[in-house]
């Protein structure tokens, strides 16, 4: 694989970034405090600054439903809605057609264009996984961005394979016979990296410099990139709308949502909390976990902390192995 040479290309300071026109118009129907619109706007800022036109394929989900209610749209960029399961297949076809038209001289060759597939965790971890895997394996030049809000939110807060263990959802509710979802969350970035693609990253909008730097790398990478973005959902998580960025930050500072990247197979942690906070600090801000704070369920919090520690140790081992190579 070719080395990703991005150090010489800088993302401008935040003040300058805000001078570019918004490409996601206000007035959409995304909930107050939703993380998805923040993530999209941060990505648009980077693309604007580097002179890229983004062409989007948007899987059915919260963002699609709330930004394109007929006859309105919030998108000031080429955008197509597709089914829940085939965002990656759709953008693969668009990318292939664009390349063919350029070869035939029907489109300019000097325009900077990047193709982006956008889906929630339901359309990425679950229903759209086959489509995503195929597009990564074929090597299309695109970025897949998952805004992970850890359940099927726009259809009623049903569990997905991205839902964390013991979270309360409508399909695996907490009750006398259940403590919520019994399985741990799937770690999709690891699965994406196993495809041998040039770039994989995990980001959070609370750490916006880290997010923008990684999206820049994805823009400048030839071939497929996968970005997994933490996307708080006040409605589904029973968290306060005004605390979305705080929840996002705590996800990182507790190591629940580590920030890392995989460049050409080399793992690197991009943020290491100096004094990681206990997982309780993250859980207690969300009503979906309130049952865990009953005295009889304290051992379940300990279990979640052990899983966070295990994954963090594994990630550090992967970084250590990469540094030896």
């Amino acid at each position: 694989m070719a080395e990703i040479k991005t150090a010489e290309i800088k993302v401008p300071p935040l003040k300058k970034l805000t001078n570019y026109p918004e490409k996601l118009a206000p007035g959409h129907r995304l909930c107050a405090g939703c993380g998805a619109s923040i993530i999209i706007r941060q990505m648009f800022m980077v693309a604007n600054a580097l002179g890229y036109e983004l062409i989007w394929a948007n899987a059915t989900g919260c963002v699609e439903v709330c930004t394109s209610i007929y006859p309105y749209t919030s998108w000031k960029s080429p955008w197509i809605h597709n089914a829940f399961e085939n965002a990656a297949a759709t953008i693969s076809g668009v990318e292939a057609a664009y390349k063919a038209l350029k070869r035939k001289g029907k489109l300019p060759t000097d325009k900077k264009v990047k193709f982006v597939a956008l889906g929630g965790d339901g359309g990425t971890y679950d229903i759209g996984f086959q489509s995503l895997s195929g597009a990564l394996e074929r090597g299309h030049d695109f970025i897949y961005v998952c805004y992970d809000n850890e359940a099927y939110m726009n259809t009623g807060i049903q569990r997905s394979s991205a839902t964390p263990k013991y979270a309360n959802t409508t399909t695996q509710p907490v009750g006398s016979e259940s403590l919520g979802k019994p399985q741990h969350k799937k770690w999709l970035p690891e699965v994406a990296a196993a495809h041998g693609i040039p770039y994989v990253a995990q980001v959070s909008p609370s750490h916006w410099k880290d997010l923008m730097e990684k999206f820049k790398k994805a823009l400048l990478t030839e071939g497929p990139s996968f970005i997994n973005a933490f996307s708080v959902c006040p409605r589904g998580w029973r968290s306060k709308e005004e605390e979305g960025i705080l929840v996002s930050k705590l996800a990182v500072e507790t190591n629940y949502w580590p920030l890392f990247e995989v460049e050409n197979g080399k793992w690197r942690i991009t943020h290491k909390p100096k004094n990681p906070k206990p997982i309780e600090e993250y859980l207690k801000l969300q009503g979906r976990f309130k049952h865990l704070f009953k005295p009889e369920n304290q051992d379940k919090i300990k279990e979640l902390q052990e899983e966070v520690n295990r994954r963090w140790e594994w990630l550090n081992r992967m970084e250590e192995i990469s540094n030896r190579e």
Side-chain angles (χ1 to χ4, degrees), residues 23 33 48 56 63 106 111-112 122 152 172 236 243 295:
K23 295 241 178 140
N48 288 342
W56 301 79
V63 169
K106 295 183 178 181
K111 189 174 182 180
K112 293 199 288 187
Y152 291 83
Q172 289 186 316
E243 291 183 348

Side-chain angles (χ1 to χ4, degrees), residues 22-45 56 58 62-64 66-67 74-75 118 145-149 205 211-212 229-234 241 245:
E22 289 278 3
K23 295 241 178 140
L24 185 73
H28 53 70
R29 273 73 161 182
L30 286 164
C31 300
C34 173
S37 60
I38 302 172
I39 294 162
I40 294 167
R41 291 178 67 200
Q42 289 180 2
M43 292 189 298
F44 263 133
M45 283 183 178
W56 301 79
N58 194 175
C62 290
V63 169
E64 174 272 319
C66 295
T67 60
S74 293
W75 296 88
L118 179 68
V145 178
C146 174
Y147 60 97
D148 185 356
N149 54 28
L211 186 154
M212 289 184 175
F230 185 86
S231 185
V232 63
C233 177
E241 296 166 355
I245 294 299

Side-chain angles (χ1 to χ4, degrees), residues 101-112:
L101 291 171
K102 282 209 304 182
R103 286 195 302 268
K104 294 177 180 179
K106 295 183 178 181
L107 286 174
T109 59
D110 57 347
K111 189 174 182 180
K112 293 199 288 187

Side-chain angles (χ1 to χ4, degrees), residues 11 24 27 51 59 62 69 77 101 114 126 171 175 185 191 199 202 221 258 274 299 308 315 322:
V11 176
L24 185 73
C62 290
I69 297 175
S77 187
L101 291 171
K114 198 70 175 185
D126 296 346
T171 46
K185 178 187 181 78
V191 180
Y199 191 67
Q202 186 154 279
T221 296
K274 292 182 180 178
D299 60 319
V308 167
L315 189 58
S322 295

Side-chain angles (χ1 to χ4, degrees), residues 51-55 78 90-115 140-142:
Y52 275 84
E53 178 73 68
L54 301 181
I55 298 176
T90 299
I91 207 67
S92 297
V94 175
E95 181 254 7
Y98 182 83
K99 285 184 174 179
L101 291 171
K102 282 209 304 182
R103 286 195 302 268
K104 294 177 180 179
K106 295 183 178 181
L107 286 174
T109 59
D110 57 347
K111 189 174 182 180
K112 293 199 288 187
V113 171
K114 198 70 175 185
F115 302 89
H140 292 278
D141 187 9
F142 79 112

Side-chain angles (χ1 to χ4, degrees), residues 32 44 84 113 133 141 160 165 187 302:
F44 263 133
F84 226 144
V113 171
S133 179
D141 187 9
S160 76
K165 192 170 187 177
W187 209 18
K302 182 181 177 183

Side-chain angles (χ1 to χ4, degrees), residues 138-248:
R138 290 191 301 271
H140 292 278
D141 187 9
F142 79 112
I143 306 169
Y144 192 103
V145 178
C146 174
Y147 60 97
D148 185 356
N149 54 28
E150 299 191 323
Y152 291 83
M153 294 306 184
N154 75 298
T155 55
I157 319 175
Q158 296 91 350
R159 61 90 81 193
S160 76
S161 62
T163 305
K165 192 170 187 177
Y166 300 129
N168 189 8
T169 64
T170 57
T171 46
Q172 289 186 316
V174 172
S176 59
E177 301 298 324
S178 170
L179 285 173
K181 186 189 173 204
Q183 301 89 4
H184 284 296
K185 178 187 181 78
K186 183 196 294 183
W187 209 18
L188 193 58
E190 180 184 355
V191 180
H195 287 73
I197 62 176
Y199 191 67
V200 174
Q202 186 154 279
V203 301
S204 171
S206 58
H207 293 64
W208 56 270
K209 285 185 178 180
D210 180 83
L211 186 154
M212 289 184 175
E213 181 65 22
K214 288 170 178 171
F215 190 70
K216 179 197 78 173
K217 287 186 177 182
L219 277 176
L220 299 174
T221 296
E222 186 176 349
S225 297
F226 177 82
I227 294 178
N228 204 36
F230 185 86
S231 185
V232 63
C233 177
R235 178 70 183 87
W237 297 4
R238 303 296 190 266
S239 57
K240 292 182 179 179
E241 296 166 355
E242 66 272 21
E243 291 183 348
I245 294 299
L246 174 60
V247 172
S248 303

